[in-house]
Amino acid sequence: MSSSPEGFELFAGISRDELNALLAGEHSQPHRILGAHPVVQNSGRSIVVRAFHPDAIKAECLMEGGPALDMKSIAGTRVFAVRVDRQLPTRYRIRFRFAYGHQWEQDDPYRFLPTIGDMDLHLFNEGTHRRLWHCLGSHPRCMDGVEGVAFAVWAPNARRVSVVGDFCGWDGRLYPMRQMGSSGVFELFIPALKSGGSYKYEIKCADGHLRLKADPFAFAAQIPPGTASIVHHSSHRWNDDNWMRLLPRREFIREPISIYEVHLGSWMRVPEDNHRRLRYREIAPRLIQHVKRLGFTHIELLPIAEHPLERSWGYQVTGYYAPTSRFGDPDDFRFLVDECHKNGIGVILDWVPGHFPRDDFALRRFDGTALYEHEDARLAEHPDWGTLIFNYGRREVRNFLLANALYWFEEFHIDGLRVDAVASMLYLDYSRKPGEWIPNRYGGNENLDAIEFLRDVNAIVAAEYPGRMMIAEESTAFTGVTRSVADGGLGFTFKWNMGWMHDTLLYFSKEAVHRKYHQNDLTFAMLYEHTERFIMPISHDEVVHGKGSLINKMPGDLWQKFANLRLLLAYQFTRPGKKLLFMGTELATYNEWFHEVSLDWHLLDDLHRQGLIRFMEQLGKIYRERHCLWQRDPDANGFAWITCDDRDNSVLAYERRSDRDSLVTVLNCTPVPRDHYRIGAPIATTYRQIFSSDDAQFGGSNYETVVTARCDAIPFHGREQSLNLRLPPLGAIILQPEP
């Protein structure tokens, strides 16, 4: 035993090198030395208890039901040990004594069994653990009758990982974690800790440098600029049973979906309280009342996962499992979702699995190596956003993201994820010049690992969470985005129609006199309408970075601007596809959206805005109630042009059909009224006008239209009968055929 330290009977099986590694803060298996270990001697069975504190001058072992036993300092170190005539398992506490009479007593963290099982580790390393957040991260729990928190983190290339926080003065020497075999996972149970405490992981890298990291699986985090993770245990009791019970039966592709896109930090602030942000519980009743008034079926939140930079709008995520603490704790966010569901409103989250920021406290070079990202900059760095790209070929990284998607559905009852920047995930050469990217194994530019990851996520969500939506923000012509995985597609429920958004806004930005030269911009989208299942967005991206507000995109004087905006919205809500509008559209704000200030709610005092609100209320009601506006969205026979080539008059007319009803919409895209305007009628009957965007109550000119139009036996537009109409200036009318 010459290689063992003095007092070797208390260190049986422990070499001097191991002891030195513990003292140097480099031992990845501290439980081999610390805690209670069996010792077999001639006198019978006993145990040796060892403990370590770098600043203690004395230690005592307090056995359950027994006296306090003085522990011996080994070889002059701050490692203490004592032999006890007991067998394992046994309960005890350690009392450390310090200079100046201070002392610290707690249950020994190193006497507890591992808190993560072999099957969990196997599934994680395999990349298939669908409830990964149940075992990694921080979890308040009871171990052997002792309350505390179990910690687990993946850092396969670390020499040593410790839990640090306020509870230990952020000293990484006090709570080194146990490495679980070759899994790369470190774990430790720390007694007496509770929900609400701040912590991080101190990681000693292979090169000897220390890195202080937030927990990738933290359920909560400090309000920025704080970067520590927070232990959180949910106590929320859900009250949305009715909503959740019906959700698996929903067939959203044949239901009305109109989405109100929201940035929580700037939707509404409190001016009398220094313009502070509303918290989740404060915003819930206000937002729900507003959304219900306008008739939206869903809200979509810009990313609420924790992020350090306000001006990123949440798209540079550092806490993938933590709703941002800016507006409250995770249960406050659960309350918001719960209230939405109780009021018949679904909740969609922006999800960002395409890239993550370089902030050093987060995922970047997590254990000193490129763990979540690639080592090669041609694969790792995103040229547009200065961020890093996930290594989708690494099983554990894919599992981190897969479990994260499921986490939002499971833990927060989310109804859908809008996946950000899908195009940047699909292509290896996205925003890269020749020589700045590496072709795939077939020589192509497709990111095969990312494509496989997206298919896996979408297939698993569809199987485990029926009725939930996966929505792709994808701006290229990549085929099969909404085709099922079984049929070779990516498996998304819907895709944002970015081309429609660009072309439509381009058309409406033109002066009316020029629109006849651009009518194809308005009609082109119908040529590819049924290649995918689309959502038509007019999103936050269109009202920032110098693009101007939506109302200011509209040409003409003030009256014409509002008439154009009403016409645009009427077109959006009556054509095929689901609808999305960014907050503030209903206020027709003059200013671009700015994330640090509230929407201009004072504009509701303006008569033009009051008319616009009434317009959107009635348009939303018609959209929800008329089956023909959504039931056959996926089917080519749900829509038919009546006329789309009258460029000289800039008039378009089309029919929407369903099993129950049908409607005809006519758009006059110039400020010139059209009297005696004839269109072909789908069926020979009387048509009744049910809506006009030019109505005086909306701020329109109230141009006299034909409220009840009888069909004439005059063939027109390929129909056997036709209608003679009066079209209001810059107006849309909706006609309903009588039975």
Side-chain angles (χ1 to χ4, degrees), residues 181-450:
S182 61
S183 68
V185 173
F186 289 77
E187 74 82 37
L188 184 66
F189 175 76
I190 302 181
L193 298 190
K194 298 179 180 179
S195 183
S198 301
Y199 71 98
K200 283 188 178 182
Y201 296 114
E202 183 182 273
I203 299 175
K204 194 162 195 178
C205 304
D207 61 6
H209 286 91
L210 292 177
R211 301 180 70 79
L212 199 57
K213 292 289 189 175
D215 187 350
F217 283 85
F219 298 145
Q222 289 180 328
I223 300 175
T227 58
S229 302
I230 296 175
V231 179
H232 177 79
H233 177 71
S234 176
S235 59
H236 181 78
R237 300 189 64 172
W238 289 95
N239 296 290
D240 61 349
D241 292 350
N242 290 336
W243 179 274
M244 298 301 292
R245 184 175 63 254
L246 295 174
L247 200 54
R249 309 175 197 172
R250 303 285 293 271
E251 191 181 6
F252 283 120
I253 63 173
R254 297 189 183 278
E255 293 186 16
I257 293 183
S258 54
I259 303 166
Y260 185 71
E261 190 187 28
V262 182
H263 178 260
L264 286 181
S266 59
W267 183 72
M268 182 180 290
R269 296 201 175 195
V270 186
E272 61 271 20
D273 191 4
N274 200 29
H275 294 275
R276 70 167 178 84
R277 293 177 291 241
L278 293 172
R279 297 175 66 81
Y280 293 120
R281 291 179 183 270
E282 291 177 302
I283 205 170
R286 295 171 170 87
L287 180 60
I288 289 168
Q289 180 185 27
H290 186 66
V291 167
K292 288 180 69 174
R293 178 184 180 185
L294 297 178
F296 289 98
T297 63
H298 291 73
I299 62 170
E300 180 178 311
L301 303 178
L302 269 63
I304 56 92
E306 195 58 83
H307 50 282
L309 186 65
E310 292 278 354
R311 66 175 179 270
S312 79
W313 312 331
Y315 288 99
Q316 295 195 5
V317 178
T318 51
Y320 276 82
Y321 288 78
T324 179
S325 296
R326 291 170 174 85
F327 316 115
D329 66 26
D331 279 358
D332 294 331
F333 179 61
R334 286 182 172 92
F335 174 85
L336 170 59
V337 178
D338 211 353
E339 290 299 301
C340 285
H341 287 174
K342 286 160 59 179
N343 284 274
I345 299 167
V347 180
I348 301 167
L349 295 187
D350 248 336
W351 186 49
V352 192
H355 62 117
F356 60 93
R358 296 173 178 270
D359 298 72
D360 204 50
F361 71 87
L363 296 180
R364 174 184 174 271
R365 301 194 73 83
F366 187 78
D367 62 357
T369 68
L371 189 61
Y372 287 87
E373 69 271 35
H374 293 271
E375 188 70 55
D376 193 317
R378 292 173 295 175
L379 295 170
E381 296 181 2
H382 201 297
D384 284 351
W385 304 310
T387 51
L388 299 173
I389 300 170
F390 284 103
N391 182 352
Y392 304 105
R394 190 161 197 168
R395 292 188 296 269
E396 293 89 348
V397 174
R398 286 173 59 165
N399 204 160
F400 169 79
L401 292 170
L402 165 65
N404 185 239
L406 304 182
Y407 169 77
W408 293 107
F409 292 122
E410 181 74 22
E411 298 292 336
F412 293 92
H413 292 196
I414 295 303
D415 299 279
L417 295 176
R418 178 265 196 185
V419 185
D420 179 63
V422 170
S424 74
M425 301 172 66
L426 296 177
Y427 299 103
L428 295 165
D429 61 345
Y430 185 88
S431 287
R432 297 178 188 274
K433 300 175 183 177
E436 296 179 347
W437 59 283
I438 302 174
N440 63 36
R441 58 183 176 269
Y442 302 113
N445 66 341
E446 298 88 0
N447 188 332
L448 301 179
D449 291 329

Side-chain angles (χ1 to χ4, degrees), residues 262 333 346 474 545 702:
V262 182
F333 179 61
E474 203 284 309
H545 301 323
N702 216 29

Side-chain angles (χ1 to χ4, degrees), residues 10-63:
L10 300 179
F11 277 82
I14 305 300
S15 69
R16 190 181 300 274
D17 288 341
E18 280 199 89
L19 178 61
N20 290 339
L22 176 70
L23 295 173
E26 296 190 349
H27 205 304
S28 64
Q29 297 285 348
H31 291 72
R32 273 185 46 79
I33 300 175
L34 305 177
H37 300 266
V39 176
V40 180
Q41 295 182 340
N42 294 334
S43 59
R45 289 189 176 275
S46 61
I47 62 172
V48 60
V49 176
R50 308 187 194 102
F52 168 66
H53 195 293
D55 301 320
I57 60 175
K58 185 178 179 181
E60 299 165 294
C61 179
L62 287 67
M63 303 301 299

